[in-house]
Amino acid sequence: MENKILRNSTFKSELIKNARCVGKYDFPMLKKSENVATKAIPFDKANNASDKNQWVHFYIDDYRFERLWNRPNRYLNMLKSFNGVIGTDFSVYTQMPLSMQIWNTYRNRILSFWMQNNGIDVIPNVVWGLENTYEFCFDGIPKGSTVAISTNGCIQDKTDRYYFKKGLIKMLEIINPNIVMVYSNMPNDIFETHTHQEVHFVNIPNYHVTLRKRGGI
């Protein structure tokens, strides 16, 4: 039976018990990852998946995985049945108040810490917005760790593309990962400029695009 306090606690303090918190906003420090994922399924499709030889991702609308935040223990065994999990992706939209962007980043770190603490391999997910998010959006992710990012819905117009490219440069500078998992498209104008660096980008195909090509949807 799920702990009532854990279920009702807004800031989920029980999920980060014994965590080492870092940065201005006390995000829990995650464990370094050296994992590589080449195939991933959305969280909202995972429960009915027969193929467990893949990773679970959260590059979907926030409301589709809000239930994990509300009742995390309910989904623990399901998540454990897969190879691992790419950290949650609560949105950091540039149009959001900064306080909401901080809150969503906090939630991303908490759930990733909790999953790692429960024996799940987690590739930390990194998401950023404008320059004012740089003071917190990389906190809690160990230097040199494999990380995951997504271009899904982040590079559709000129402005979004500009800030994605700028944030990518900053992320590589701050975290200095050897491997970056990239979910969805990898346009040359964004990623080709980094090929000279000691970082390896690994593409994870978009689940829905792959399914459409196979005639599944």
Side-chain angles (χ1 to χ4, degrees), residues 91-127:
S91 300
V92 179
Y93 293 129
T94 57
Q95 304 93 331
M96 284 179 168
L98 188 62
S99 56
M100 288 185 67
Q101 297 180 59
I102 296 168
W103 170 242
N104 277 349
T105 306
Y106 172 78
R107 294 203 289 172
N108 288 336
R109 293 295 184 277
I110 278 187
L111 286 172
S112 291
F113 176 86
W114 171 77
M115 287 186 282
Q116 285 185 335
N117 214 30
N118 279 278
I120 297 175
D121 285 331
V122 176
I123 298 175
N125 176 55
V126 191
V127 57

Side-chain angles (χ1 to χ4, degrees), residues 38-40 57 182-184 203-210:
T38 56
K39 183 180 179 183
H57 77 75
V182 183
Y183 181 78
S184 205
N203 182 241
I204 304 175
N206 185 300
Y207 173 85
H208 294 289
V209 171
T210 302

Side-chain angles (χ1 to χ4, degrees), residues 168-209:
L168 177 61
I169 293 170
K170 193 67 175 180
M171 185 274 286
L172 294 175
E173 174 190 326
I174 298 296
I175 299 177
N176 192 27
N178 291 320
I179 299 174
V180 178
M181 314 303 307
V182 183
Y183 181 78
S184 205
N185 296 329
M186 291 183 59
N188 287 337
D189 68 298
I190 295 176
F191 293 96
E192 199 172 56
T193 56
H194 302 290
T195 55
H196 66 285
Q197 297 176 314
E198 293 182 3
V199 56
H200 182 47
F201 292 100
V202 178
N203 182 241
I204 304 175
N206 185 300
Y207 173 85
H208 294 289
V209 171

Side-chain angles (χ1 to χ4, degrees), residues 127-186:
V127 57
W128 55 85
L130 305 180
E131 292 98 327
N132 60 356
T133 65
Y134 298 169
E135 69 166 358
F136 63 84
C137 66
F138 309 121
D139 288 348
I141 299 178
K143 288 186 179 296
S145 176
T146 295
V147 296
I149 61 175
S150 174
T151 59
N152 203 28
C154 301
I155 56 173
Q156 292 175 322
D157 62 44
K158 188 176 180 180
T159 301
D160 288 343
R161 207 177 188 92
Y162 169 79
Y163 284 111
F164 184 91
K165 292 167 73 172
K166 193 167 186 178
L168 177 61
I169 293 170
K170 193 67 175 180
M171 185 274 286
L172 294 175
E173 174 190 326
I174 298 296
I175 299 177
N176 192 27
N178 291 320
I179 299 174
V180 178
M181 314 303 307
V182 183
Y183 181 78
S184 205
N185 296 329
M186 291 183 59

Side-chain angles (χ1 to χ4, degrees), residues 21-27 135 139-140:
C21 295
V22 298
K24 183 176 179 179
Y25 299 104
D26 287 337
F27 294 165
E135 69 166 358
D139 288 348

